[in-house]
Amino acid sequence: MKILVTGHAGYIGSVLVPMLLDRGHDLAGLDSELFAACDFGAPPAAIPSLGQDIRDFIAAPDAVERLAGFDAVIHLAGLSNDALGDYRPDLADTINCTASIVLARMAKLAGVSRFLFGSSCSAYGDTRGRLVGEGEQLRPITPHAVASMEVEQALMPLADRGFSPVCLRGATAYGPSPRLRFDLVVNSLVAWAFTRRTVRLKSEGSAWRPLVHVEDLAAAFVAAAEAPPGMIHRGVFNVGRTEENFRVRDIARLVRDMMPGTLIAHAEDAARDPRSYRVRCDHVRRVLPGWHPRWTCREGIAQLLDLYAAQGLAGTEFDGPRYDRMAHLRHRVATGTADRDFYPVERKIAA
């Protein structure tokens, strides 16, 4: 298949691309490369890139023509977390919502037959401790999550015999990536334990999170891209493992137990996190028999500890602007290498 991966150089995309290449697919990428200075170890695999911010791409007069010939679009590009969405709700709407919907409509016009959208389980909001499946009403409580819901709602009416939209609602990802993020709960808690022998909780820890290893999440996109159209047409999938729902404080205890001598501490402003959701992930395993999640949280923690040791991770690195997406973008704006709308400055120079 010929596949366009948006956000191909991001946390998930840089894990997904090698998987698709190994299976013989013909790839192109679309990424603003705002995080090109954030490699952790080896850089992401190089593929032909359309080399634009998604906002510029959809505004180009030849955008539909450039999409022609692709069999599928895997759409991962966007502001990656709630912190960024809260910081600039207008950009969460423009980038994550409007641009995604326009891209899907253009893909359909171009004859692309499959559009896989990287949605989020955060769209469930607060499930009040209940396990919920794909048929549950979405009650998002952050701009980032609202955007995911609105894209899903706009995609499904586009479906017809020649165009299959698919929404993969990822659980909270963790695990190694060439573009590693330390603003994800497991990655962060393990980094605190490794560098400072203290597992630092930013909240009081009662919120629920479904977890998925980034390799398993990427593999779900591969399986959905390769599945027969009838299996995934208008499909909505929670991507994770039902048994891998944890309270944040229980993740902290698991990390502590795997690093003897480590303490658990709370940030001074730790409060209840209103984002608390438990999800069922049985549907995706029934519909996509080619997808077999391999990782548990315990195994992922052990893997991260080995990785941090191999890379010599220091405390001054992981919680600074290089690996925290919010901190990195604020740093770029402050130093003039990106404007306040998160466009790279070199884009303006090139224009």
Side-chain angles (χ1 to χ4, degrees):
M1 299 172 67
K2 186 175 181 181
I3 302 173
L4 174 65
V5 182
T6 74
H8 71 280
Y11 176 66
I12 300 168
S14 59
V15 175
L16 171 62
V17 163
M19 292 184 179
L20 293 169
L21 291 174
D22 286 346
R23 297 184 67 82
H25 297 294
D26 180 12
L27 303 185
L30 179 66
D31 200 294
S32 65
E33 285 288 359
L34 275 168
F35 304 103
C38 300
D39 293 348
F40 192 83
I47 60 173
S49 175
L50 304 184
Q52 283 182 291
D53 186 288
I54 187 173
R55 292 168 289 182
D56 289 334
F57 180 82
I58 62 172
D62 61 345
V64 174
E65 295 174 19
R66 296 171 75 184
L67 288 168
F70 285 102
D71 301 297
V73 172
I74 299 178
H75 181 44
L76 303 174
L79 301 184
S80 58
N81 60 24
D82 285 327
L84 285 168
D86 293 342
Y87 178 61
R88 289 293 303 273
D90 56 328
L91 292 186
D93 182 65
T94 300
I95 299 172
N96 289 31
C97 185
T98 302
S100 299
I101 295 168
V102 172
L103 180 68
R105 290 172 177 166
M106 288 180 163
K108 181 176 179 177
L109 286 173
V112 178
S113 61
R114 195 171 304 208
F115 190 92
L116 309 183
F117 170 55
S119 189
S120 171
C121 285
S122 66
Y124 290 110
D126 183 359
T127 68
R128 302 187 182 278
R130 296 180 300 114
L131 274 170
V132 298
E134 289 84 352
E136 186 80 11
Q137 182 177 352
L138 301 179
R139 295 182 173 88
I141 57 178
T142 66
H144 180 270
V146 168
S148 293
M149 179 188 72
E150 292 181 347
V151 174
E152 289 192 18
Q153 292 173 340
L155 285 181
M156 293 308 163
L158 297 177
D160 60 24
R161 285 170 41 177
F163 186 72
S164 295
V166 184
C167 299
L168 286 87
R169 295 175 182 161
T172 301
Y174 65 91
S177 165
R179 290 276 164 87
L180 190 63
R181 287 173 54 192
F182 287 108
D183 49 20
L184 295 165
V185 61
V186 177
N187 295 354
S188 174
L189 293 179
V190 178
W192 272 95
F194 179 80
T195 60
R196 297 174 181 174
R197 294 300 187 269
T198 299
V199 184
R200 183 175 181 270
L201 292 172
K202 296 181 180 179
S203 69
E204 45 80 50
S206 65
W208 285 94
R209 290 289 185 275
L211 300 178
V212 65
H213 194 284
V214 66
E215 290 181 10
D216 288 336
L217 180 55
F221 281 95
V222 176
E226 295 179 344
M231 292 175 61
I232 50 86
H233 184 71
R234 299 185 82 249
V236 178
F237 304 101
N238 294 335
V239 182
R241 301 175 66 161
T242 303
E243 59 272 25
E244 291 283 293
N245 283 276
F246 296 89
R247 289 188 187 272
V248 172
R249 65 191 177 209
D250 293 328
I251 303 171
R253 290 167 182 159
L254 185 56
V255 173
R256 178 198 61 191
D257 293 345
M258 294 179 68
M259 282 206 69
T262 300
L263 303 175
I264 294 178
H266 290 78
E268 291 183 3
D269 58 349
R272 180 184 177 274
D273 187 344
R275 305 164 301 162
S276 181
Y277 42 96
R278 298 175 68 206
V279 302
R280 296 187 186 279
C281 301
D282 307 312
H283 179 56
V284 66
R285 296 174 77 168
R286 288 194 299 267
V287 176
L288 296 179
W291 183 66
H292 304 286
R294 297 178 47 234
W295 291 90
T296 66
C297 182
R298 177 179 289 275
E299 292 167 340
I301 291 169
Q303 182 194 30
L304 286 167
L305 288 171
D306 289 342
L307 174 68
Y308 296 166
Q311 293 291 330
L313 180 67
T316 55
E317 293 178 327
F318 85 86
D319 57 351
R322 183 169 182 180
Y323 298 118
D324 181 293
R325 294 296 188 256
M326 180 71 184
H328 184 74
L329 287 180
R330 279 182 160 172
H331 175 74
R332 290 202 59 162
V333 172
T335 57
T337 60
D339 69 18
R340 65 178 305 272
D341 292 327
F342 300 155
Y343 278 114
V345 168
E346 55 266 24
R347 159 188 177 266
K348 293 184 177 180
I349 295 173

